[in-house]
Amino acid sequence: MSNAYFNENVFNNKKAFIPFLTAGYPSLADTERFILKMEEAGADLIEIGIPFSDPIAEGPVIQNASTVALKNGASLDKIFEMIENLRKKTNIPLAIMSYVNPLFKVGYDNFFKRCQGLDIKAVILPDVPYEEKGEIEEIASCYDIDIISFIAPTSNERIQKIAKDSRGFIYVVSSLGVTGTRDEITTDLNSINEIIKQTTPTKTAVGFGINNPIQAKEISKYCDGVIVGSAIIKIIDKLGSNSDEAIYNYVKEMKEAINS
Amino acid sequence: MNNGKYGEFGGQYVPETLMREIINLERSYNFYKNDEKFNQELDFLLKTYAGRPSLLYFAKNMTKDLNGAKIYLKREDLNHTGSHKINNVLGQALLAKYMGKKRIIAETGAGQHGVATATAAALLNLECEIFMGEEDIKRQALNVYRMNLLGAKVNSVKTGTGTLKDAVSEAMREWTKRVDDTLYVLGSVMGPHPYPMIVRDFQSIISKEAREEILKVEGKLPNAVIACVGGGSNAMGMFYNFISDKNVQLIGAEAAGLGIETEKHAASIAKGSVGIFHGMKSIFCQDKFGQIAPVYSISAGLDYPGIGPEHAYLHKTGRAKYVPVTDEEAVLAFEYLAKTEGIICAIESAHAVSEAIKLAGQMKKEDIIIVCLSGRGDKDVASIARYRGREIYE
């Protein structure tokens, strides 16, 4: 479908670096600044996480960030306002990562219309698998938004059908379990990538567990982009509102590593 | 089949990592539920180990005192481990065994499902880990030790509100980490398909027996059956074989905590709205942005912000009615049943008893109510004492 947008703006002749952050952690003003820093450091697409009360696919790091963000008042309305401000300053490609209930509750049409107005082209829903995405995708496509498909280490015979119906890009889950940094990633990403590439021209980005440049470089051999979440949240855990420079350095280092 | 949907409700809203295993579970279940050897073994365990069939007891004193409908109690509290939970757990643990799994994990609120799961694991020689909210661990310390005695590891869940919903989330997370050798033994008619179906099928033995027994004793069907509802497993079990008997009223008693006009309740049907959470589309207590609400009930087993999808469907179609019952009403019913019939029931079940007390007086003497007494109350004695101002600890 709209693979073209991502091919031209995110994965254009390079390995894409895709940082994630939880909106409103520790505050929405911080999130806005951090995103601009990420762009400056070379991020190709930024994944903005809508904090959810019960994030079942997250490890302790992002769970905690979500809890703090919600406590600090990062409601959906306020997050959209923050992105509105952000859009006055940058055109960087943005994706939204959310659990499905906040979308369902405010209404899919409402949610996607809001996203469209903010030039958001992809929505990532970790609790919506292939079997359930139909009704959501139909509405999202009316607003020119792609629902990103996941492929996991356990997908096996499911890989082809998921890849065939994928739009935007494919989120390849590096390891079993929830989000969070890992010392070692043992999944055979090479064979998963080969099956995907035989099936579809859609670009792939690998996430879950990636945290250092060496790891990122190794993994980037088997995909078109690398997604990092918990490692960035850990920086914010340590430095709070003063994370700007550390985030900048980290994103720059990771982007260079996967393109060296 | 219904493909996991009950009208608009149900479905499989889980991370991709779990999808293959959930499909495998559905396939395995659909195979073994018709497998003679599996059924013989399960039937044998239910009879010789769990103590089925459970009694259908005529509550003579209560009936006389309330001066209305005849009240029968379906005594799930007399099952081994003290609640209806064993019906489902023996089924799922045996299924795990047949599927070649080495390990089972489960969530628990009051600890009844955790104890039942740890029991089945000990019996069937499976490794067992239980996830339980930090708050519930405090409320139900004895059950934690019970699970340890049975050889299970109990993990304290500190995230969120430290109650049942957080225990479910953590069990799901754990399952995505170790999906190959582990089966998640879900305790209620909730979560992604096929769980609402599997748990309902294993619990439907309650209404299968009750229906046969009441026809034998009274020669007619009851006018109403009543059960408490958290996720809704004993209620689904109590309702299921009566669903097509259109004249039998199906009534679920949900936890109104300090009252549905307050923030302190767990009454999904009375106060919730449609949402998607824990793998299913159903009815949940949530705010206007779709954040799941913290809920409250004196009963740890009903302290869950949602209800199983088939209940949501029975509610929407009007086939079943769901009524809120407060902490105070439940405690009064708990004390009443103890004094009147000599039965100390679980505080969860006392919610259903309370509704029966309200209803019986409005009905005719020839009418019949069956109440599902889902569990026994030993675990609740200390907390009821504290509720009444007596500082007793287990």
Side-chain angles (χ1 to χ4, degrees):
Chain A
M1 244 270 294
S2 53
N3 284 0
Y5 172 86
F6 292 94
N7 293 350
E8 283 162 24
N9 296 290
V10 178
F11 299 98
N12 46 333
N13 303 317
K14 61 172 187 292
K15 302 284 182 184
F17 185 67
I18 306 172
F20 162 95
L21 38 60
T22 302
Y25 181 63
S27 79
L28 283 166
D30 293 324
T31 305
E32 191 182 330
R33 266 192 353 268
F34 295 162
I35 291 173
L36 292 169
K37 279 287 168 200
M38 288 170 165
E39 180 185 22
E40 214 182 296
D44 298 289
L45 166 71
I46 289 160
E47 210 187 294
I48 301 177
I50 308 288
F52 184 53
S53 51
D54 302 85
I56 59 155
E58 313 300 346
V61 172
I62 297 177
Q63 279 181 49
N64 177 59
S66 307
T67 307
V68 173
L70 286 172
K71 215 178 271 170
N72 293 347
S75 69
L76 196 55
D77 280 352
K78 294 215 168 110
I79 293 167
F80 278 133
E81 272 170 37
M82 182 273 291
I83 301 175
E84 230 172 87
N85 281 330
L86 186 70
R87 274 294 179 230
K88 292 172 192 154
K89 298 166 193 164
T90 175
N91 292 320
I92 183 150
L94 296 175
I96 284 207
M97 207 295 293
S98 176
Y99 288 82
V100 67
N101 199 46
L103 276 72
F104 179 81
K105 184 66 182 169
V106 303
Y108 295 136
D109 273 289
N110 273 334
F111 190 92
F112 293 130
K113 192 188 270 179
R114 214 65 214 267
C115 289
Q116 187 184 37
L118 297 167
D119 203 27
I120 291 163
K121 301 284 195 214
V123 172
I124 303 167
L125 303 168
D127 54 350
V128 178
Y130 180 82
E131 279 72 5
E132 299 290 352
K133 82 183 172 120
E135 68 167 334
I136 304 171
E137 198 158 56
E138 205 173 296
I139 302 171
S141 66
C142 301
Y143 299 93
D144 201 23
I145 288 166
D146 294 323
I147 301 297
I148 301 306
S149 295
F150 280 88
I151 286 175
T154 50
S155 293
N156 300 39
E157 71 282 355
R158 298 167 52 79
I159 296 176
Q160 277 164 315
K161 71 175 177 190
I162 296 172
K164 205 180 281 172
D165 288 351
S166 64
R167 299 175 185 189
F169 63 93
I170 293 171
Y171 193 132
V172 179
V173 177
S174 77
S175 324
L176 290 177
V178 292
T179 58
T181 55
R182 289 168 174 78
D183 295 334
E184 213 184 356
I185 287 167
T186 52
T187 306
D188 185 359
L189 292 169
N190 188 19
S191 356
I192 294 178
N193 189 52
E194 270 173 21
I195 304 173
I196 297 174
K197 292 300 176 195
Q198 283 159 15
T199 318
T200 176
T202 308
K203 302 286 185 185
T204 58
V206 174
F208 278 43
I210 304 164
N211 61 87
N212 64 57
I214 300 164
Q215 218 182 16
K217 180 160 179 53
E218 175 60 25
I219 280 173
S220 67
K221 289 182 201 157
Y222 314 115
C223 59
D224 305 302
V226 168
I227 303 171
V228 171
S230 298
I232 290 169
I233 301 295
K234 276 183 172 173
I235 295 176
I236 308 176
D237 285 347
K238 223 185 274 170
L239 301 171
S241 298
N242 302 316
S243 303
D244 303 58
E245 203 189 323
I247 289 175
Y248 175 88
N249 291 337
Y250 179 77
V251 171
K252 197 163 167 18
E253 191 185 11
M254 293 292 275
K255 174 75 184 280
E256 278 166 9
I258 59 176
N259 283 291
S260 62
Chain B
M1 259 318 285
N2 55 19
N3 201 22
K5 302 271 178 177
Y6 306 89
E8 70 185 283
F9 304 109
Q12 298 180 300
Y13 296 87
V14 293
E16 170 60 21
T17 305
L18 290 179
M19 271 315 293
R20 192 163 176 267
E21 190 53 29
I22 277 180
I23 291 167
N24 179 36
L25 173 62
E26 182 184 2
R27 254 189 231 131
S28 306
Y29 173 69
N30 282 333
F31 177 79
Y32 287 116
K33 78 173 179 189
N34 298 314
D35 179 68
E36 201 179 328
K37 187 164 169 279
F38 178 85
N39 282 306
Q40 273 173 2
E41 198 169 341
L42 179 57
D43 196 50
F44 181 76
L45 288 177
L46 288 171
K47 286 195 175 110
T48 63
Y49 187 71
R52 301 211 71 87
S54 70
L55 297 176
L56 184 70
Y57 166 74
F58 174 52
K60 199 167 80 183
N61 299 340
M62 208 175 151
T63 300
K64 193 173 164 213
D65 181 58
L66 296 169
N67 198 26
K70 281 185 173 177
I71 295 180
Y72 282 85
L73 304 174
K74 181 64 175 159
R75 299 290 308 273
E76 294 299 306
D77 59 317
L78 296 178
N79 296 337
H80 180 43
T81 75
S83 81
H84 71 291
K85 293 293 185 189
I86 195 78
N87 305 332
N88 166 49
V89 159
L90 285 176
Q92 282 197 54
L94 197 62
L95 184 61
K97 200 87 183 165
Y98 274 69
M99 286 171 75
K101 303 289 183 187
K102 305 218 160 0
R103 176 176 177 255
I104 54 179
I105 56 171
E107 84 294 344
T108 197
Q112 285 173 313
H113 177 57
V115 168
T117 306
T119 300
L123 177 71
L124 298 173
N125 194 24
L126 291 157
E127 200 186 313
C128 178
E129 269 188 58
I130 303 295
F131 294 83
M132 187 168 184
E134 196 180 21
E135 278 306 307
D136 291 337
I137 283 183
K138 281 185 218 150
R139 286 198 275 193
Q140 303 287 350
L142 269 187
N143 268 343
V144 176
Y145 192 68
R146 235 168 237 138
M147 289 183 262
N148 293 148
L149 278 177
L150 293 159
K153 182 178 171 212
V154 180
N155 298 288
S156 170
V157 180
K158 297 178 172 62
T159 51
T161 48
T163 59
L164 180 53
K165 85 174 160 83
D166 309 290
V168 173
S169 297
E170 206 50 39
M172 280 185 171
R173 289 185 188 114
E174 174 63 24
W175 202 24
T176 63
K177 283 181 206 158
R178 249 178 96 173
V179 81
D180 278 348
D181 71 342
T182 299
L183 181 70
Y184 178 13
V185 174
L186 229 162
S188 194
V189 285
M190 46 158 289
H193 176 68
Y195 283 108
M197 168 181 81
I198 292 180
V199 180
R200 185 238 352 218
D201 287 356
F202 287 140
Q203 291 296 0
S204 66
I205 192 162
I206 301 174
S207 51
K208 183 173 174 282
E209 289 174 1
R211 196 175 183 283
E212 285 167 8
E213 286 159 346
I214 200 76
L215 283 175
K216 200 159 47 176
V217 182
E218 291 281 350
K220 60 176 184 177
L221 291 171
N223 301 74
V225 300
I226 307 178
C228 64
V229 194
S233 69
N234 91 85
M236 211 53 236
M238 187 73 232
F239 292 174
Y240 189 63
N241 288 289
F242 291 110
I243 291 176
S244 52
D245 300 320
K246 298 292 177 206
N247 293 325
V248 179
Q249 273 193 73
L250 311 175
I251 302 170
E254 48 176 15
L258 302 184
I260 53 169
E261 68 287 355
T262 72
E263 301 271 287
K264 295 267 189 186
H265 63 77
S268 318
I269 297 268
K271 301 292 282 184
S273 57
V274 180
I276 301 171
F277 181 53
H278 276 164
M280 57 183 169
K281 187 181 284 184
S282 191
I283 298 176
F284 299 95
C285 296
Q286 55 182 325
D287 73 9
K288 65 172 174 166
F289 292 116
Q291 304 292 346
I292 302 305
V295 288
Y296 163 81
S297 164
I298 189 172
S299 132
L302 303 183
D303 199 355
Y304 182 74
I307 191 166
E310 197 166 3
H311 281 296
Y313 178 70
L314 291 174
H315 163 69
K316 181 143 192 208
T317 55
R319 179 63 190 92
K321 187 172 95 174
Y322 297 84
V323 295
V325 174
T326 64
D327 283 1
E328 178 65 20
E329 291 171 317
V331 170
L332 284 170
F334 176 93
E335 293 165 339
Y336 176 85
L337 193 68
K339 289 211 172 75
T340 316
E341 291 291 347
I343 297 171
I344 294 176
C345 72
I347 189 64
E348 287 80 14
S349 322
H351 287 71
V353 174
S354 170
E355 185 55 26
I357 294 170
K358 279 180 223 166
L359 202 62
Q362 305 162 21
M363 292 169 75
K364 295 194 289 272
K365 288 205 167 171
E366 62 270 28
D367 290 346
I368 299 166
I369 297 174
I370 303 178
V371 181
C372 185
L373 221 56
S374 57
R376 68 174 178 227
D378 310 40
K379 68 180 181 53
D380 298 308
V381 171
S383 79
I384 301 297
R386 293 198 295 278
Y387 183 86
R388 288 299 186 209
R390 294 268 299 272
E391 287 299 312
I392 299 173
Y393 291 88
E394 284 153 344

